[in-house]
Structures are given as structure tokens and as C-alpha cells.
Amino acid sequence: MYRETYLQIPGPTNIPKPILDALSSKAINHRGDEYAALMEFNVKHLKKVFKTKNDILIFPSSGSGGLEASIVNTLSPGDKVVAINMGVFSKRYGEIATSFGAEITWINQEWGSALNPNRLKDVLSKDFKNEIKAILLTHNETSTGVTNDLHALIRVVRELNHPALIFVDAVSSLAITDLPTDLLDIDIVVTGSQKGLMLPGGLSLISVSKRAWEAHNNASMPKWYWNFTPMLERMKVGQMPYTPVISHFFALKASLEIIENEGLENIYNRHKQNADAIRNALEELGLKLLVSDNKYSSNAVTAVYLPDDINYEDLSKVLEDDFNVIIGGGLQQLSGKIFRVGHLGNLHKPEVIAIVTSIEISLKKLGYNVTLGTAAKAASRVFLNN
Ligand SMILES: Cc1ncc(COP(=O)(O)O)c(C=O)c1O
């Protein structure tokens, strides 16, 4: 019998039917008019989702490829860069820059907490000669379920009048949590196709400001595949420098139509409500969340400490076997300590109730003491009160 899968990892997400259908579109000439029209539509609508007038580039890669592209196109070996270690992905951004010869000043923030703007202020205010070229920020740290306050962080940079470029990894925040690129004057925003855009992995999408283009003209890190210049030149005529993932371009169009239909603000609100309902349910089950200050709780993913005597392998197996609900585990230093519930993309109230109830029953089956119905009630209360 066919059973729906609830893919509650923090991306890839459940793929809506119109996007799945679009993925099976026929192959077309990637140097023809139909592809050019597809490109024009996608770029125009992506600008709305990125909330920017900046150029948008699309690379056939996962999100990490986009992060690498942002570094090698704007920096030179020896450039001073600030990176944050507050989880797997913020650390990765800094590691990519390191591997191309950037000189990193690390800010180590406890995993599970947000970057404190004062920590950034301390580093920048010691940079008397304005030597720091770039600041790498992760909007939503997917490994911990923390969303940074970008407004507060960027305000620090502006108040100090520091000229560093601002890069934002928005892989797990774009089309999930508000990210006003132009309002905040962010130089580089990178995302991947498999999160808020609800496609499979395979595209990285990058917005590039005028200042980032100026930096690009002087950047000497090695690149060929990732070079922004030929990518922009070809995209302007509705092509790519090499063979694109055509199926994903059809799927991206379907995704952008779905997003336009629902409306960005409604999408942010739905994610917030689902996240609140899930967190409320998990807390009423007596579970402890990794993020203690809920001002920074992610609308994309929630990390939860495993209860004593229950391990991740057993919990994820019962959830998958009995309910077809797939959750994520802890990564690196959080492995074996937490589980993660993804609630991004195509997720709605009835599924939320089903998912928290599945977690509740699975925990009970593994010996956890809980009264059945607790999770559904707690999630329902959030929905009723909104
Ligand atoms: C915030 C963040 N940055 C970067 C990445 C890396 O993206 P990818 O796995 O598509 O390379 C991820 C993936 O989950 C992520 O969540």
C-alpha cells in the first residue's frame, strides 16, 4: 500500500505536487527561446523572494556550492574575514573561506545560542584600519535551530561605519523567515533549492550587490566553474555558461508560482505558527529544547534534547516504521544528544498535529511517561489562538 512520507528533516522538504509534476517536464534546448523565457520568469520572481533589486545568479549545485562561489568571487588569499562558529553550517562558511586562503577571525558562540551583536562589535571595533573585508553570517543555523537577529547584527556594522561586505547564508531561511536583502543592504545572500523553495537539492541561488561586484573585479581566489562574470553574462541572454539543470528550472517556476499565490508574508506567518505549535507540543511532552531563548527559535527546524534512556536511532526507527515520519539527528558535537524536527516548506496544520502525535506515541512506545493526547492538544491551542 502507498503511504505518504512525512519528511520532517530540515531539508530537503516534502515536495508539493505541482513541483513534482514540473520536474518531469520534457527536455528543451537550453539555448532556445523557451529556456530563456523560463530564466526570465525565474529571475524576476526570485528577486521578489530575495526582496532585492540586485543581480541573482543560479548555479547547478547544492547550497554549499553557492557558499563557495560567494567566497571565491569576492575575496583574495590573505583577506581578513570574520566567521562565526555557532553550528555546523556557520562553521562551514568560515572553513570554505579558510581553504581558499582567507585569514579568519573566528567568533565562537555556544551551539544553541544566537550570535550576540556585542561579540561582533568587539571584533569590528578592534579593526582600527578597517582591514576586515567580509563578515560571514548564517541567518538560520540549521544544526541547532537558531535564527540570528540579522537586523541587530547588521546595525552593529553600520553604526561602526565599517566597510566590510556582509554575506548571509540563507539556505534554511529564504522563503521561510523574512529576509529583506535590500532594506538591510546585504551584499551576498546564498540559498539552496531544497528548503523554502521546496525543490530537490540541485540549485544554489545567490544575490550579488553592486559592492560585491566591485569586490569581484579585484578578487583573485581561483575559480572557473563558479565565476560570477560568465554566469551573469550568459544569464542576461537567457542561458548559462554550461548545461543547466533544466528540470529544476521548470520546478523553480512552479515553486515561485506557489509562493506568489500564497504570498511571502503569509508564508512567514504559517512557518511561525507551525513552529510555535510544534515547540509548544514538544515542551508539553516534557521535552527540553536546545534553544532556551525562544526569541531566536527557528521557524524552519526545532532541536530537542533526547530524553534520558531514549536514543536517536530507536526514536527515529519507531517514527519511520509506525508513522512514516522521518526526523533528523544531531550533527557533530550534538550527535546522540538531540533530535531535530524540520517544519519548513510545504507543511500545514493537519500534518503538524499528526507529526507531534506520532512523536508522542513513539516516545510512549519507548517507555517515556506521557499522557496520550498531550501533544495534539498543545499544538491545537496554538492554532486556535492565532
Ligand atoms: C544553513 C545551511 N547552510 C548551508 C547548507 C549546506 O547546503 P547543501 O547541503 O545544500 O550544500 C545547509 C544545509 O542544510 C544549511 O542548512
Side-chain angles (χ1 to χ4, degrees):
M1 188 231 213
Y2 175 78
R3 281 201 303 168
E4 205 59 62
T5 302
Y6 298 88
L7 189 59
Q8 302 319 131
I9 55 174
T13 65
N14 299 293
I15 301 174
K17 179 80 168 49
I19 296 181
L20 277 177
D21 290 347
L23 282 166
S24 62
S25 300
K26 67 188 190 311
I28 58 169
N29 176 10
H30 60 294
R31 305 204 195 285
D33 292 345
E34 192 178 354
Y35 184 75
L38 202 50
M39 172 85 85
E40 192 184 344
F41 179 96
N42 286 342
V43 169
K44 183 171 149 210
H45 285 77
L46 279 170
K47 286 188 183 193
K48 294 190 206 168
V49 179
F50 276 73
K51 298 191 170 177
T52 189
K53 293 196 167 62
N54 290 336
D55 291 314
I56 301 273
L57 304 178
I58 306 173
F59 285 90
S61 78
S62 80
S64 303
L67 297 181
E68 178 166 327
S70 71
I71 298 287
V72 298
N73 276 284
T74 51
L75 299 172
S76 301
D79 276 354
K80 293 192 165 47
V81 170
V82 175
I84 322 299
N85 176 358
M86 53 177 281
V88 172
F89 298 105
S90 47
K91 194 168 78 161
R92 178 178 301 178
Y93 213 172
E95 284 168 351
I96 294 170
T98 306
S99 60
F100 285 95
E103 203 182 292
I104 307 288
T105 301
W106 283 103
I107 302 178
N108 293 305
Q109 184 76 38
E110 193 189 348
W111 288 26
S113 64
L115 173 60
N116 182 336
N118 288 329
R119 309 273 321 273
L120 182 60
K121 192 172 180 178
D122 282 350
V123 170
L124 294 181
S125 35
K126 286 185 194 126
D127 182 31
F128 304 112
K129 294 189 191 155
N130 283 349
E131 287 175 330
I132 293 167
K133 289 268 172 59
I135 302 165
L136 311 181
L137 299 174
T138 300
H139 191 190
N140 182 72
E141 175 49 75
T142 320
S143 64
T144 60
V146 167
T147 300
N148 277 314
D149 181 349
L150 282 184
H151 291 260
L153 294 169
I154 293 174
R155 197 177 311 124
V156 160
V157 186
R158 305 298 179 222
E159 280 173 5
L160 291 169
N161 228 349
H162 198 287
L165 293 168
I166 296 175
F167 293 36
V168 172
D169 171 345
V171 170
S172 60
S173 66
L174 193 91
I176 295 167
T177 298
D178 190 21
L179 175 54
T181 302
D182 284 358
L183 186 79
L184 292 174
D185 204 6
I186 304 171
D187 295 292
I188 294 272
V189 174
V190 180
T191 198
S193 52
Q194 76 276 25
K195 311 262 186 188
L197 295 173
M198 304 169 289
L199 266 65
L203 296 180
S204 61
L205 310 98
I206 312 175
S207 75
V208 185
S209 75
K210 200 162 160 275
R211 281 202 328 138
W213 279 113
E214 283 160 16
H216 173 66
N217 294 334
N218 300 314
S220 67
M221 283 183 183
K223 56 199 158 283
W224 187 91
Y225 191 79
W226 302 115
N227 196 333
F228 279 180
T229 296
M231 184 53 88
L232 183 68
E233 276 173 8
R234 298 317 296 159
M235 283 184 70
K236 275 186 175 159
V237 293
Q239 297 181 13
M240 291 224 151
Y242 28 66
T243 312
V245 200
I246 296 169
S247 53
H248 275 50
F249 270 70
F250 281 110
L252 183 57
K253 179 166 187 274
S255 157
L256 293 166
E257 283 167 348
I258 292 172
I259 290 172
E260 175 116 331
N261 237 334
E262 184 174 0
L264 274 176
E265 305 310 313
N266 293 332
I267 291 174
Y268 306 145
N269 288 337
R270 174 170 56 79
H271 277 86
K272 165 98 176 74
Q273 220 182 98
N274 287 342
D276 283 347
I278 288 174
R279 277 192 278 274
N280 203 36
L282 295 169
E283 285 196 296
E284 294 244 342
L285 289 176
L287 299 169
K288 186 168 176 244
L289 307 184
L290 176 68
V291 181
S292 53
D293 185 348
N294 84 39
K295 186 174 164 218
Y296 301 105
S297 295
S298 164
N299 290 340
V301 53
T302 296
V304 193
Y305 284 107
L306 285 154
D308 293 342
D309 305 328
I310 294 183
N311 66 45
Y312 170 70
E313 286 70 26
D314 290 342
L315 178 60
S316 57
K317 185 168 185 333
V318 177
L319 271 166
E320 183 163 357
D321 289 352
D322 290 11
F323 301 100
N324 235 14
V325 170
I326 321 289
I327 55 166
L331 302 176
Q332 297 183 8
Q333 58 175 261
L334 292 169
S335 172
K337 294 183 180 150
I338 59 162
F339 66 95
R340 291 177 303 149
V341 183
H343 33 80
L344 62 167
N346 184 34
L347 185 71
H348 301 273
K349 290 172 190 160
E351 291 125 7
V352 167
I353 304 280
I355 289 157
V356 293
T357 301
S358 305
I359 294 173
E360 176 186 282
I361 302 171
S362 302
L363 286 168
K364 191 159 180 90
K365 199 167 170 182
L366 292 168
Y368 187 73
N369 183 15
V370 63
T371 308
L372 289 181
T374 304
K377 251 193 219 162
S380 309
R381 262 202 310 276
V382 172
F383 290 143
L384 198 61
N385 293 334
N386 275 284

